[in-house]
Amino acid sequence: GNKGMGIHVIFTGQACRYYETEHNLIELIQRINESKGKLTRIDLAMDDRTGDVIPFKQLIKDITNANIVSKWKSNVEIIKRSNKDAEIKGHTISLGSRSSRLFMRIYDKALEQKIEGIWNRIELEIKKEYAEQVQKIITKDNVGELMAKIINNYIRIVKPNPNDSNKSRWETKPYWEKLIATTGKQSLTVAPEEKTIDDMKEWI
């Protein structure tokens, strides 16, 4: 009810799927841009139904063995098992913090959905000013490449070299190069705007 507050709309994942049956989400974002609206969160996902692009077990092994160069300092692995027969019901590894502006999870989507076959997913959860940055540059033609460049800016899976203690010099594993398929990187960091006297007066 405050003047200038505008309208806040929440689009759930289910709402996005429903909207996509007749419309295009990227076009919706472009309409929001034209109306000078702001997105506070965007989720991007990369799916693999073959296991050839996102080798889930190999990724889990490399990350848990620290064969990784990343801006994220830690990772969390979650395995959900049945108490009845110890059958694995879910398997996820995540990097970053859920409260941070960028959070990444890699998981077995087939297990989550309780379906047969292979369905591996990498997901980015992008929030606050990072989401606003993505909002400005995303198009229907660059969404896959944009996601790959964001991931490439934050994480790299590497081949251990016992003769070099500096991980940043280790070679990238071939399967990771194939998965990312780009040498480009996309930073979402926004340079802070300089404050003027009028800005300070307004704040006070």
Side-chain angles (χ1 to χ4, degrees):
N2 294 336
K3 184 180 178 182
M5 246 185 117
I7 299 168
H8 186 200
V9 179
I10 298 175
F11 247 54
T12 63
Q14 186 177 355
C16 288
R17 301 292 78 75
Y18 182 78
Y19 184 89
E20 280 186 310
T21 59
E22 294 189 16
H23 306 282
N24 185 289
L25 279 171
I26 302 296
E27 290 174 1
L28 174 62
I29 292 174
Q30 290 168 345
R31 286 169 59 195
I32 293 170
N33 288 342
E34 290 167 6
S35 301
K36 298 183 179 178
K38 290 183 179 180
L39 294 177
T40 56
R41 174 173 164 178
I42 296 177
D43 290 0
L44 299 176
M46 181 189 299
D47 286 324
D48 176 18
R49 299 284 192 136
T50 66
D52 294 331
V53 181
I54 304 174
F56 182 73
K57 290 181 180 178
Q58 184 62 51
L59 261 173
I60 294 287
K61 183 179 178 182
D62 277 323
I63 293 173
T64 54
N65 286 338
N67 297 333
I68 177 176
V69 174
S70 177
K71 292 183 180 181
W72 289 301
K73 303 298 182 185
S74 60
N75 64 77
V76 175
E77 184 180 9
I78 299 173
I79 300 174
K80 182 180 178 182
R81 288 191 179 90
S82 166
N83 286 334
K84 181 181 178 182
D85 54 14
E87 182 184 357
I88 295 178
K89 300 289 188 178
H91 198 174
T92 302
I93 194 160
S94 59
L95 296 104
S97 164
R98 286 299 304 272
S99 60
S100 64
R101 291 167 294 182
L102 184 63
F103 175 75
M104 178 170 135
R105 66 172 71 83
I106 305 165
Y107 63 103
D108 189 324
K109 185 75 174 175
L111 270 180
E112 182 202 58
Q113 296 293 313
K114 300 176 183 176
I115 60 175
E116 295 294 327
I118 298 170
W119 187 358
N120 300 329
R121 172 173 283 190
I122 295 178
E123 210 167 72
L124 292 180
E125 196 175 287
I126 308 165
K127 300 176 193 161
K128 300 179 181 178
E129 64 265 33
Y130 280 16
E132 290 179 35
Q133 282 293 95
V134 170
Q135 172 189 351
K136 291 175 185 175
I137 59 181
I138 196 169
T139 70
K140 63 182 180 181
D141 296 322
N142 79 352
V143 61
E145 182 182 7
L146 176 60
M147 181 176 180
K149 285 182 176 180
I150 293 171
I151 294 172
N152 199 32
N153 190 49
Y154 275 82
I155 178 176
R156 186 167 61 92
I157 304 300
V158 293
K159 182 180 179 181
N161 183 349
N163 299 317
D164 192 343
S165 60
N166 188 339
K167 279 189 183 182
S168 64
R169 290 195 292 259
W170 291 2
E171 290 181 16
T172 304
K173 286 209 167 183
Y175 80 82
W176 186 253
E177 288 184 334
K178 178 183 174 183
L179 190 157
I180 296 300
T182 181
T183 56
K185 296 182 179 181
Q186 179 64 56
S187 172
L188 299 177
T189 305
V190 183
E193 295 181 0
E194 289 189 14
K195 298 292 184 181
T196 65
I197 297 296
D198 288 337
D199 290 334
M200 296 302 291
K201 286 180 179 178
E202 181 68 23
W203 180 82
I204 291 168

